[in-house]
Amino acid sequence: MGDQTIFAAIDLGSNTCRLSVKSLRNGIWKVLHAYSFATRLGTDLTKGNAFDDSALRRTVHVFAKYMKIVNLYHPHHMRAVATEACRVADNSHRLCETIRKEHNVHLDIITAEEEAYLSFCGCFSYINPRKSYAIVFDIGGGSTEVVLVENDTERKRMTVCKTLSLPFGVVRLTDDYGQHIPRVLENIRHHVRDQVLTCFGQHFLKNISRNHKLQLVGCSGTATTAAGLALGLPVYDREQVNGAILRRTQLLGLENYLLDSGKLLLGSLMKGSNLTLVPPGLAILLGICDACPVPSVRVVDQGVRDGVIVDLALKHKLLQLPYEIIRSDQKDNQLIDKESLAG
């Protein structure tokens, strides 16, 4: 294959397990295989704090299918990661051990901070370089990761300044509230807004928004579903969703799906959407938008699995970027504090 390098990544989330196989040649990526399957690993996790046997069997079965695919490509570099469900489950070690024994794969349970970083890595190429800051968010099944990124064009680097992990995910909320979830959607939305404002600073967010320095980027999961709804797509179409810009008016239009349960019952969502998971996801998304008063949101159909591959390429020095990516623990100053005091 010449100078082609092949990467594989598996992202095991609370609701979905995602696989991606990509090749890199002369700085150009090519998707060789991408697949997602709803394992529902985190379903009912909050009731017993442990995976049930059926969820474990489903997940191990999916790993078996994925590894057959991966082995066809003989990747040079591979990594499998697990997120919120495995962070909180008492028996996640059982799942990791089974996967290691049966497939010789180390399943790495990553921290919320690393999950946020990898989400950012998965969609950083869609960040507008003319904006000084970006809020990147990933609404998952068990949690929501939000990261503040500073874009320093003079130094040619992007710095992950601060991350926020919210224990709100579409599966977790659906399990917690069940049929009563319509009653708590506004509370969820307000709580998310308040948490984002508290973490990143109300004055800071207002200041950089007013000065047109802030952008919002939503990756994977709920963000892409919301884009499909806002665009009126009858069937999900990645080509139309990936990189789409949703205006504030389109986002506010999504409130109808929170207020009018009849739309859900009539199945007016895109084919293939899980109706029960959409309302809590939209409540979280709108809460983030409430905290960040910007005119639009860019939606990217890429996430942790893509970030894993980018991170692997960077660590092995196989990918050169026009700027440097710096994690928060590598920073030499706190630019967020300086900016928040200006104006």
Side-chain angles (χ1 to χ4, degrees):
M1 295 185 180
D3 58 355
Q4 177 177 250
T5 305
I6 298 177
F7 299 84
I10 297 177
D11 166 27
L12 177 59
S14 301
N15 185 59
T16 306
C17 187
R18 297 179 172 90
L19 165 70
S20 181
V21 183
K22 294 183 179 180
S23 66
L24 178 65
R25 186 197 296 270
N26 298 326
I28 299 175
W29 291 103
K30 181 181 179 181
V31 178
L32 302 178
H33 198 102
Y35 193 75
S36 298
F37 186 85
T39 61
R40 306 188 305 282
L41 178 63
T43 300
D44 294 330
L45 182 58
T46 55
K47 297 177 181 178
N49 215 41
F51 301 133
D52 62 35
D53 289 340
S54 60
L56 290 173
R57 284 194 298 270
R58 284 194 304 271
T59 303
V60 172
H61 178 68
V62 168
F63 259 82
K65 293 178 62 176
Y66 282 3
M67 289 311 300
K68 286 182 180 178
I69 295 170
V70 168
N71 290 334
L72 293 175
Y73 292 98
H74 303 289
H76 299 87
H77 304 284
M78 178 185 170
R79 188 184 184 195
V81 301
T83 54
E84 182 67 6
C86 286
R87 285 196 290 264
V88 302
D90 292 335
N91 60 344
S92 57
H93 65 282
R94 177 182 165 192
L95 174 63
C96 294
E97 183 64 13
T98 301
I99 291 173
R100 185 190 66 80
K101 286 183 177 180
E102 295 188 8
H103 306 295
N104 195 30
V105 174
H106 173 69
L107 181 59
D108 190 4
I109 302 175
I110 58 177
T111 65
E113 290 76 17
E114 183 168 8
E115 181 181 357
Y117 168 74
L118 292 175
S119 293
F120 157 68
C121 284
C123 63
F124 73 90
S125 59
Y126 289 86
I127 292 178
N128 183 349
R130 293 187 294 274
K131 300 285 186 179
S132 299
Y133 293 94
I135 292 282
V136 179
F137 62 89
D138 186 350
I139 302 169
S143 65
T144 294
E145 315 308 325
V146 188
V147 57
L148 173 68
V149 178
E150 188 209 17
N151 181 28
D152 188 337
T153 54
E154 291 187 4
R155 297 184 182 182
K156 294 184 178 181
R157 69 186 192 184
M158 287 188 182
T159 303
V160 177
C161 297
K162 199 170 189 180
T163 61
L164 169 66
S165 182
L166 297 169
F168 286 159
V170 294
V171 174
R172 176 177 282 182
L173 290 172
T174 302
D175 286 345
D176 285 347
Y177 296 102
Q179 63 181 356
H180 303 294
I181 202 161
R183 303 177 188 174
V184 299
L185 291 175
E186 282 301 308
N187 289 339
I188 293 169
R189 178 176 176 176
H190 294 157
H191 188 72
V192 170
R193 177 201 63 197
D194 293 344
Q195 289 294 308
V196 173
L197 289 174
T198 299
C199 179
F200 301 117
Q202 182 172 359
H203 174 73
F204 172 71
L205 291 176
K206 183 178 180 180
N207 181 45
I208 60 176
S209 299
R210 184 179 61 228
N211 292 309
H212 309 291
K213 295 181 178 180
L214 177 65
Q215 60 190 299
L216 271 178
V217 180
C219 60
S220 193
T222 292
T224 55
T225 300
L229 292 173
L231 295 171
L233 301 180
V235 179
Y236 185 79
D237 183 349
R238 186 181 188 277
E239 293 301 317
Q240 293 191 59
V241 169
N242 192 35
I245 302 292
L246 300 185
R247 299 297 173 188
R248 191 78 180 179
T249 52
Q250 291 173 297
L251 292 170
L252 293 176
L254 294 175
E255 290 176 315
N256 295 330
Y257 289 95
L258 298 182
L259 302 175
D260 186 357
S261 60
K263 288 193 174 185
L264 297 179
L265 296 175
L266 290 173
S268 62
L269 302 180
M270 295 174 295
K271 291 181 180 179
S273 298
N274 188 330
L275 303 185
T276 60
L277 302 181
V278 173
L282 292 181
I284 297 170
L285 185 150
L286 291 170
I288 295 172
C289 293
D290 291 342
C292 304
V294 295
S296 64
V297 176
R298 168 157 278 184
V299 176
V300 182
D301 190 358
Q302 295 181 185
V304 171
R305 60 178 170 178
D306 305 279
V308 167
I309 290 177
V310 168
D311 188 54
L312 284 172
L314 290 173
K315 285 180 177 178
H316 289 279
K317 298 181 179 180
L318 297 169
L319 179 65
Q320 288 189 335
L321 301 177
Y323 38 78
E324 182 182 9
I325 294 178
I326 301 176
R327 297 178 66 164
S328 55
D329 56 357
Q330 299 173 321
K331 292 195 308 172
D332 55 7
N333 53 48
Q334 291 287 337
L335 296 178
I336 182 173
D337 295 335
K338 179 183 70 176
E339 286 286 338
S340 65
L341 295 175

